[in-house]
């Protein structure tokens, strides 16, 4: 029951492994259907697909799009997208450019509290997607925190040094780009957002009205107790359920690939009609 993993990152965004290494790791962990979902970039998919073919596993082309919804950051995963779609790529290119502008502002904020050189350090370890994870690794290296997870308790989050407000894509644009590229849209780790139950309801309603298909019910970056809550909402709204580790690399996740629980009983999996997922593999 652990063969499908529809959320993972490579070095193209803020993961630690190359797309090739990620696919090999997934394969070794027993994953047979893997989605590569880098933040705001699809540049790793071709390499991942090539490697997956060598190992006889299936690579789902994916992306995790950064969205601003009512002033809050929400992540929308696109699955089975045509990664060459021009409109999708233009949108993602814009998001990546805005990441660079944000990174400059993050570095200025860190400069203010006497932490210098962060932009150069973050840029040196990132590709075309520069993220808070790259700043977090720099802060760990400099000894400001013991590990990446604890950095995010004291830095780079709202109210702490190194946080800057930023506006990402709209929910409508993100869902539109994914659909335009022939893909399915999924709300990533819904338990991670700082939303009230009413706001979650409103987000799900808006997402459904835009034609969004799925919700990540089982996520490596969401507490397991959230699963039942989101399973109920998936039933109520008539969404499909998704599952993904949100793997970023060795030591960066509580749950390794291939170690996620199955979807709760009776939920329609987003891969229900995918010919590449054999019933036994789900
Ligand atoms: P960004 O999209 O640049 O704002 O960076 C967000 C990324 O930072 C997420 O995708 C995670 O990989 C990482 N991140 C955010 N919050 C945390 C946290 N509390 N612990 C570990 N990683 C985090
Ligand atoms: Mn990330
Ligand atoms: Mn995310
Ligand atoms: Mn992710």
């Amino acid at each position: 029951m652990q063969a499908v993993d529809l959320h993972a990152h490579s070095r193209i965004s803020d993961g630690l492994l190359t797309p090739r290494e990620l696919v090999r790791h997934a394969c070794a962990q027993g994953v047979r259907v893997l989605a590569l979902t880098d933040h705001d970039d699809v540049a790793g998919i071709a390499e991942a697909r090539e490697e997956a073919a060598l190992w006889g596993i299936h690579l789902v082309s994916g992306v995790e799009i950064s969205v601003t919804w009512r002033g809050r950051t929400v992540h929308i995963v696109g699955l089975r997208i045509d990664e060459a779609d021009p409109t999708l790529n233009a949108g993602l290119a814009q998001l990546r450019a805005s990441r660079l502008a944000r990174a400059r502002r993050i570095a200025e904020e860190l400069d203010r509290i006497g932490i210098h050189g962060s932009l150069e350090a973050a840029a040196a370890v990132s590709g075309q997607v520069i993220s808070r994870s790259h700043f977090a690794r720099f802060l760990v290296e400099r000894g400001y925190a013991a590990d990446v997870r604890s950095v995010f308790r004291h830095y780079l989050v709202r109210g702490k040094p190194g946080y800057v407000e930023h506006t990402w894509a709209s929910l409508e644009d993100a869902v539109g780009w994914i659909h335009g590229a022939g893909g399915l849209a999924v709300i990533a780790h819904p338990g991670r957002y700082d939303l009230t139950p009413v706001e979650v309801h409103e987000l799900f309603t808006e997402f459904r009205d835009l034609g969004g298909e799925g919700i990540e019910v089982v996520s490596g970056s969401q507490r397991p107790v959230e699963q039942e809550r989101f399973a109920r909402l998936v039933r109520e709204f008539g969404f499909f359920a998704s599952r993904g580790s949100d793997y970023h690399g060795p030591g960066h996740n509580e749950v390794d690939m291939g170690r996620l629980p199955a979807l709760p009983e009776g939920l329609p999996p987003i891969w229900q009609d995918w010919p590449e997922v054999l019933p036994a593999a789900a």
Side-chain angles (χ1 to χ4, degrees):
M1 286 301 281
Q2 296 173 340
V4 180
D5 188 333
L6 299 180
H7 188 152
H9 297 272
S10 77
R11 233 158 58 188
I12 292 294
S13 63
D14 61 347
L16 294 175
L17 305 180
T18 66
R20 232 174 253 293
E21 291 166 341
L22 180 78
V23 167
R24 275 187 223 141
H25 181 66
C27 192
Q29 291 295 110
V31 173
R32 292 296 171 263
V33 177
L34 170 72
L36 176 62
T37 57
D38 275 309
H39 299 284
D40 306 324
D41 206 330
V42 293
I45 292 172
E47 178 185 314
R49 185 182 290 129
E50 209 178 275
E51 187 68 21
L54 295 179
W55 294 92
I57 76 173
H58 190 84
L59 193 281
V60 175
S61 55
V63 65
E64 182 174 18
I65 302 181
S66 310
V67 160
T68 298
W69 183 79
R70 297 195 188 170
R72 251 72 65 81
T73 299
V74 168
H75 287 168
I76 304 296
V77 162
L79 297 173
R80 291 181 114 208
I81 48 165
D82 167 11
E83 73 269 20
D85 183 81
T87 309
L88 170 69
N89 276 279
L92 298 180
Q94 226 168 37
L95 285 174
R96 293 193 297 268
S98 87
R99 280 183 170 278
L100 190 55
R102 180 186 69 147
R104 293 199 184 96
R105 293 189 292 132
I106 290 174
E108 280 166 23
E109 287 298 311
L110 292 174
D111 274 332
R112 263 185 230 272
I113 57 160
I115 302 176
H116 303 297
S118 64
L119 181 62
E120 295 70 17
V125 292
S126 72
Q128 47 182 12
V129 177
I130 187 163
S131 86
R132 282 184 296 158
S133 299
H134 301 109
F135 282 91
R137 286 171 201 153
F138 162 77
L139 291 170
V140 171
E141 214 174 277
R142 284 289 173 93
Y144 289 99
D147 53 40
V148 162
R149 217 165 300 144
S150 38
V151 170
F152 281 99
R153 282 199 282 275
H154 305 289
Y155 300 90
L156 307 170
V157 291
R158 191 171 271 167
K160 306 285 179 175
Y163 179 78
V164 299
E165 291 292 336
H166 189 68
T167 304
W168 303 106
S170 69
L171 184 65
E172 186 177 3
D173 279 348
V175 173
W177 297 337
I178 291 165
H179 286 166
L184 301 166
V186 173
I187 297 183
H189 44 65
R192 275 231 343 232
Y193 312 125
D194 192 18
L195 302 175
T196 64
V198 170
E199 288 171 323
V200 167
H201 221 268
E202 289 168 351
L203 171 64
F204 282 24
T205 302
E206 224 173 281
F207 182 66
R208 185 179 57 187
D209 291 346
L210 290 168
E213 284 88 359
I215 304 292
E216 253 177 29
V217 173
V218 174
S219 164
S221 68
Q222 168 170 288
R223 290 177 307 147
V225 324
E226 304 275 32
Q227 284 168 28
E228 269 318 305
R229 176 182 170 212
F230 291 110
R232 273 196 302 278
L233 285 168
V234 161
R235 288 192 194 96
E236 179 186 332
F237 279 83
F239 285 127
F240 289 103
S242 189
R243 174 176 61 166
S245 60
D246 204 1
Y247 186 75
H248 281 71
H252 270 55
N253 293 74
E254 280 170 45
V255 186
D256 200 347
M257 295 181 124
R259 295 290 173 271
L260 289 175
L263 287 179
E265 276 301 305
L267 289 186
I270 189 111
W271 57 82
Q272 160 168 290
D273 298 323
W274 301 0
E276 64 268 31
V277 184
L278 301 170

